């Protein structure tokens, strides 16, 4: 079954700790994206990657980092520098040349 | 930078009522427009999209949207809603020729009462 997987579904961390969210896709998509979803604010782009070993900051990259060592994987690290990390995080991917994106099930991160 | 506005934050309708959700964007150039839907507990999924051509586009589950360039709008419509349409709806815009980034609106929560 092709798709995007994100793990875990729920994640709890203490303030001051870095945490890495997983995103894997087997759709053979080149581009991958990370969004943050907060109530009443829609989805906001954190980082995106068009090809392996390359990525760009989105609108709210501060306090986050990513890597793209493999086409299938685009992990997101929420660092201790992110002032308000509690949110729902969505990963997406798209085929080359396409505008529509396909989304994973999301990870809900709670930092206390 | 482009922005997307969805003015209705929460809409409550009874079954069989007609639906229209507003979406306006701010960008003067050529855009690609999308409506995504997030049913409770499910992935965000594409409802419909507009790239060019006929400004009235039809999507899944009986939804349609009309692109009105002069009004910078892409409103979503359905003639008769069902309880199963209860979900959050997001409008999104991508600039043609860009790095395929999507800018999303803040979303509209639709609740359909049985």
């Amino acid at each position: 079954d092709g798709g995007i997987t994100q793990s875990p579904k729920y994640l709890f961390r203490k303030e001051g700790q870095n945490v890495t969210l997983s995103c894997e896709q087997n759709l053979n998509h080149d581009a991958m994206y990370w969004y943050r979803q907060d109530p009443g604010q829609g989805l906001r782009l954190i980082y995106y990657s068009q090809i392996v070993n390359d990525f760009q900051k989105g609108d709210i990259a501060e306090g986050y980092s990513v890597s793209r060592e493999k086409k299938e994987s685009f992990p997101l690290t929420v660092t201790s520098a992110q002032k308000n990390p509690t949110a729902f995080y969505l990963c997406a991917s798209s085929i080359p040349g396409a505008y529509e994106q396909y989304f994973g099930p999301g990870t809900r991160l709670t930092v206390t | 930078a482009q922005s997307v506005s969805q003015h209705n934050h929460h809409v409550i309708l009874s079954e069989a009522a007609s639906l229209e959700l507003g979406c306006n964007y701010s960008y003067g150039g050529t855009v690609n427009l999308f409506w995504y839907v997030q049913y409770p507990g499910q992935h965000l999924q594409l409802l419909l999209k507009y790239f060019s051509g006929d400004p009235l586009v039809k999507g899944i589950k009986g939804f349609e949207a009309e692109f009105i360039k002069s009004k910078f709008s892409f409103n979503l419509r359905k003639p008769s809603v069902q309880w199963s349409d209860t979900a959050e709806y997001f409008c999104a815009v991508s600039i043609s020729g860009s790095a395929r980034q999507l800018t999303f609106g803040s979303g509209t929560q639709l609740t359909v009462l049985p």
Side-chain angles (χ1 to χ4, degrees):
Chain A
D1 245 353
I4 302 174
T5 56
Q6 292 185 244
S7 60
K9 190 172 181 179
Y10 298 96
L11 192 52
F12 298 89
R13 280 293 183 270
K14 296 283 189 190
E15 204 173 303
Q17 293 179 334
N18 291 355
V19 58
T20 297
L21 281 58
S22 165
C23 177
E24 304 278 331
Q25 54 97 0
N26 61 4
L27 300 167
N28 201 32
H29 288 177
D30 284 313
M32 296 186 74
Y33 309 81
W34 272 106
Y35 293 89
R36 171 184 171 133
Q37 185 179 3
D38 296 283
Q41 296 194 54
L43 281 71
R44 292 180 290 167
L45 183 65
I46 305 173
Y47 268 97
Y48 64 100
S49 167
Q50 304 275 40
I51 56 172
V52 174
N53 293 322
D54 188 46
F55 49 82
Q56 283 78 41
K57 293 181 179 180
D59 299 320
I60 55 165
E62 186 174 347
Y64 299 98
S65 66
V66 293
S67 62
R68 187 83 188 279
E69 297 176 2
K70 298 187 299 182
K71 188 176 185 178
E72 303 78 22
S73 178
F74 190 40
L76 173 75
T77 297
V78 185
T79 75
S80 56
Q82 168 48 234
K83 295 192 188 328
N84 187 16
T86 294
F88 189 50
Y89 291 87
L90 287 166
C91 179
S93 68
S94 65
I95 62 175
Y99 289 94
E100 61 261 46
Q101 296 175 15
Y102 298 85
F103 285 82
T107 292
R108 189 165 297 280
L109 172 66
T110 303
V111 176
T112 57
Chain B
Q2 70 272 25
S3 65
V4 180
S5 297
Q6 292 181 248
H7 302 294
N8 309 108
H9 297 297
H10 195 180
V11 173
I12 303 174
L13 296 172
S14 297
E15 274 194 317
S18 64
L19 169 72
E20 181 159 4
L21 300 182
C23 173
N24 289 90
Y25 65 93
S26 64
Y27 182 72
T30 304
V31 294
N32 303 298
L33 299 157
F34 306 84
W35 276 97
Y36 280 85
V37 60
Q38 191 171 36
Y39 296 103
Q42 294 189 28
H43 297 203
L44 198 67
Q45 57 186 280
L46 183 66
L47 202 53
L48 48 77
K49 61 189 177 188
Y50 172 81
F51 289 166
S52 63
D54 188 343
L56 184 63
V57 292
K58 296 193 184 300
I60 60 172
K61 305 188 180 186
F63 285 91
E64 64 179 32
E66 185 175 13
F67 171 49
I68 303 180
K69 190 174 181 179
S70 61
K71 294 186 178 180
F72 299 90
S73 71
F74 190 55
N75 292 355
L76 180 71
R77 301 195 292 244
K78 187 170 184 179
S80 175
V81 294
Q82 301 172 314
W83 176 79
S84 58
D85 293 325
T86 295
E88 190 157 20
Y89 294 81
F90 294 93
C91 182
V93 169
S94 182
I95 297 174
S96 291
S98 72
R100 309 313 195 243
Q101 296 175 61
L102 287 176
T103 299
F104 283 84
S106 57
T108 297
Q109 175 64 48
L110 171 66
T111 301
V112 180
L113 304 174

